[in-house]
Amino acid sequence: GDNPVLGQINLAFRNKGGGFPRGTLNTLLDGFDGNAPERKEGDVRFYPREYRTVAKTALSPSGFVLPRWSNQLGTYTGPNFMAAINVPILCRAAPTFGFSSDLVISDRSVVSGKPSLLNAYGLIPTQLYITALVMSGLALVLPPVRWWLRRSLKTYSYGGDSRGRVVMDAEAVSAGG
């Protein structure tokens, strides 16, 4: 029989309501401040070495930051800030599921409403979102901005919206297309 091989996984997330990623931001601030845990000799990598290229490609600056068209949704997508977590998890699970080490992973966010000609099929809101992310990232280089954000996160008390949800659209493409 025909046994197709998975060649690409396309994930697109939409957030509706919810809370603010306080823990994710604290982890990011720790990294900027040099407080991230160091790798020690003998530490086992989270995912197998043969999937390192898969992760690096999925999280590369050009693959991560630029707007990308989603055929499955008919709209432009932007970076998913959780891709840095999701991609390594997929790489760790890949051998268990029999996925090849030349797998392509796309982990994106849909930030526009319904795609239309008026919003350039999501390109305009996606580009605004990416610009805000880049400017925020550049601002985090400045220690006073990090100090202010860390103090603000300590007093942040919004518990989120219980009606909030995350919707994920997933598409699997065989290696042959």
Side-chain angles (χ1 to χ4, degrees), residues 47-94:
Y47 52 87
R49 176 180 296 274
E50 60 266 22
Y51 291 90
R52 197 173 296 165
T53 302
V54 174
K56 283 183 178 182
T57 302
L59 299 173
S60 71
S62 63
F64 187 70
V65 175
L66 296 175
R68 189 178 302 152
W69 178 256
S70 169
N71 283 328
Q72 74 192 67
L73 300 174
T75 190
Y76 281 94
T77 60
N80 178 12
F81 71 93
M82 291 299 292
I85 305 298
N86 297 342
V87 169
I89 290 170
L90 286 169
C91 288
R92 182 179 179 125

Side-chain angles (χ1 to χ4, degrees), residues 115-128:
S116 70
L117 189 58
L118 288 175
N119 67 13
Y121 295 93
L123 181 60
I124 295 169
T126 299
Q127 194 58 57
L128 290 171

Side-chain angles (χ1 to χ4, degrees), residues 6 8 18 32-33 36 51-53 73 75 86 95 98 107-108 110 113 139 146 149 157 162 165-166 170:
L6 181 64
Q8 184 168 345
F32 270 103
D33 290 337
Y51 291 90
R52 197 173 296 165
T53 302
L73 300 174
T75 190
N86 297 342
D107 186 342
R108 310 290 290 173
V110 177
R146 293 194 307 270
L149 183 56
S157 64
S162 62
R165 60 189 169 135
V166 175

Side-chain angles (χ1 to χ4, degrees), residues 8-74:
Q8 184 168 345
I9 300 172
N10 299 318
L11 305 174
F13 292 86
R14 297 176 196 189
N15 298 313
K16 301 189 187 238
F20 192 70
R22 182 182 355 197
T24 302
L25 278 174
N26 276 315
T27 301
L28 183 69
L29 290 171
D30 286 346
F32 270 103
D33 290 337
N35 297 330
E38 292 183 25
R39 291 188 60 79
K40 297 180 182 101
E41 182 145 349
D43 282 353
V44 177
R45 287 210 168 264
F46 183 73
Y47 52 87
R49 176 180 296 274
E50 60 266 22
Y51 291 90
R52 197 173 296 165
T53 302
V54 174
K56 283 183 178 182
T57 302
L59 299 173
S60 71
S62 63
F64 187 70
V65 175
L66 296 175
R68 189 178 302 152
W69 178 256
S70 169
N71 283 328
Q72 74 192 67
L73 300 174

